[in-house]
Amino acid sequence: MVVGTSSSMLGRAFLLLVLSSATEVHGGPSSSAAPCSLLDYICIRLGPWYVLPNVCVSTLCIDPSCRSAPGLPELAMMATRLTVSNATVTKASIQHALAHAKDGKARKVMRSCLQLYTGAVPRLQWAARSVAAGRYSGVPEVLEAAYEHVASECTDLAGKVALPKENDEFYMMAYVAKAVVEWVQLFG
Ligand SMILES: *[C@@H]1O[C@H](CO)[C@@H](O)[C@H](O)[C@H]1NC(C)=O
């Protein structure tokens, strides 16, 4: 209990530091009217993960409540949940593409790719439950596998066969979610 309290106070102190340094960077008169949500601040901080702030914001803001996350745990939770629903939709659109595939090569690609998503969805659901319970261990790895070994793998498998656009979109979502969750795990 004592440990929990002091670590959450440390987290708060760190967050204040982040907020005040971000305010310094963006505190010019021209930007004083810009929205200053927690999401914006965290997205500015993801440079070392090679995520541009505007890409980070636009990826997570397909959820209209993106800017009202009250804290880092909620932000990590939102990113992970969005990755689950994104994977589910992508899986469905590959299923649809498989049902409508004209030739054997396309069917083969869609079938293999579908298998990758079918395996990934339960792992991502596990990740979302973990983050909701405040456990981050193993979660960045699951998210990384989702873009490295699912979305990216599908692209490689496809070659010249056109995949549903959701596959590339899912890559981006999993990539941003991994950066956010890892950031929260390290600094939250
Ligand atoms: C999945 O996430 C990407 C990146 O934000 C977005 O462009 C796409 O619309 C999302 N798809 C769904 C179905 O939520």
Side-chain angles (χ1 to χ4, degrees):
M1 210 46 220
V2 174
V3 171
T5 307
S6 67
S7 83
S8 93
M9 280 173 67
L10 266 179
R12 245 166 255 225
F14 183 81
L15 186 57
L16 280 176
L17 270 175
V18 170
L19 294 179
S20 57
S21 60
T23 309
E24 272 158 37
V25 174
H26 290 266
S30 60
S31 65
S32 59
C36 298
S37 70
L38 183 59
L39 176 73
D40 295 290
Y41 289 119
I42 298 314
C43 285
I44 289 166
R45 293 292 210 248
L46 294 182
W49 280 264
Y50 304 102
V51 177
L52 291 172
N54 60 324
V55 172
C56 169
V57 169
S58 66
T59 301
L60 296 178
C61 282
I62 60 161
D63 181 339
S65 72
C66 60
R67 288 198 160 86
S68 42
L72 295 174
E74 289 81 4
L75 206 58
M77 215 185 299
M78 182 187 76
T80 317
R81 283 204 185 122
L82 282 174
T83 310
V84 176
S85 56
N86 214 280
T88 309
V89 171
T90 306
K91 183 183 163 222
S93 78
I94 292 165
Q95 231 150 7
H96 183 84
L98 172 61
H100 294 83
K102 298 266 186 295
D103 62 285
K105 165 86 175 126
R107 262 195 299 277
K108 192 160 173 263
V109 166
M110 297 310 162
R111 217 176 278 124
S112 308
C113 186
L114 181 59
Q115 222 165 30
L116 292 173
Y117 276 93
T118 303
V121 168
R123 289 196 290 274
L124 291 168
Q125 285 166 336
W126 169 86
R129 284 195 304 274
S130 293
V131 171
R135 288 189 303 266
Y136 299 97
S137 173
V139 172
E141 288 80 359
V142 167
L143 293 168
E144 183 171 304
Y147 63 83
E148 277 292 316
H149 301 302
V150 179
S152 193
E153 185 94 11
C154 280
T155 305
D156 290 347
L157 283 169
K160 291 195 170 65
V161 172
L163 285 172
K165 67 173 184 5
E166 284 81 0
N167 185 63
D168 281 343
E169 293 172 351
F170 174 71
Y171 183 100
M172 192 46 81
M173 177 57 80
Y175 190 90
V176 170
K178 189 246 176 182
V180 168
V181 172
E182 197 160 78
W183 196 93
V184 173
Q185 183 185 31
L186 290 173
F187 306 116

